[in-house]
Amino acid sequence: MGDRLRWANQRRLEFAGYDSDICLGRLLPAVLAQHGRTGPEGTDLGVPLTQVELSGLIGAKESTAQKILRDLSARGLVRTGHRRVTVTDLPGLAAFADLGPPPSDEGQA
């Protein structure tokens, strides 16, 4: 439980200064990196998080998280279900969240 609290606090520190939609857009890849499971529709978060829990992780109201998830879904970046979020377009989500491209191996010896 202590690890979860530290992780959540770290996320909040990283998100300072960002709007809620960007915060959620940055949170989802972080969860995927730790728990994600690739499937036919995309990459599932791997943990059953409610919208209340997602909103708490970004320091927003539940209604805000619901609105953001609807927007991300309308953009084709995620799919949602009961306690389930699947990222269908990780590069698109990274661009939305201003995460930049993943580091390349080019030029390394």
Side-chain angles (χ1 to χ4, degrees):
M1 189 158 140
D3 288 338
R4 281 195 235 168
L5 181 58
R6 278 188 289 280
W7 185 85
N9 286 336
Q10 183 62 36
R11 298 285 79 75
R12 285 188 194 100
L13 289 173
E14 288 177 4
F15 299 153
Y18 290 106
D19 289 337
S20 297
D21 56 345
I22 301 300
C23 291
L24 187 57
R26 288 174 165 257
L27 172 70
L28 297 177
V31 174
L32 289 179
Q34 293 290 319
H35 306 284
R37 289 181 284 164
T38 302
E41 296 181 2
T43 307
D44 187 85
L45 288 187
V47 289
L49 294 172
T50 65
Q51 292 178 353
V52 172
E53 292 166 331
L54 287 170
S55 63
L57 288 170
I58 63 168
K61 294 180 181 180
E62 179 184 5
S63 60
T64 301
Q66 290 170 347
K67 180 181 174 202
I68 295 165
L69 287 170
R70 278 194 306 270
D71 179 53
L72 294 176
S73 182
R75 293 171 182 254
L77 303 175
V78 302
R79 286 189 177 184
T80 59
H82 179 69
R83 294 181 59 105
R84 184 172 166 213
V85 176
T86 301
V87 175
T88 55
D89 181 359
L90 187 55
L93 184 61
F96 172 83
D98 198 24
L99 289 172
S104 104
D105 293 336
E106 198 173 301
Q108 293 181 355

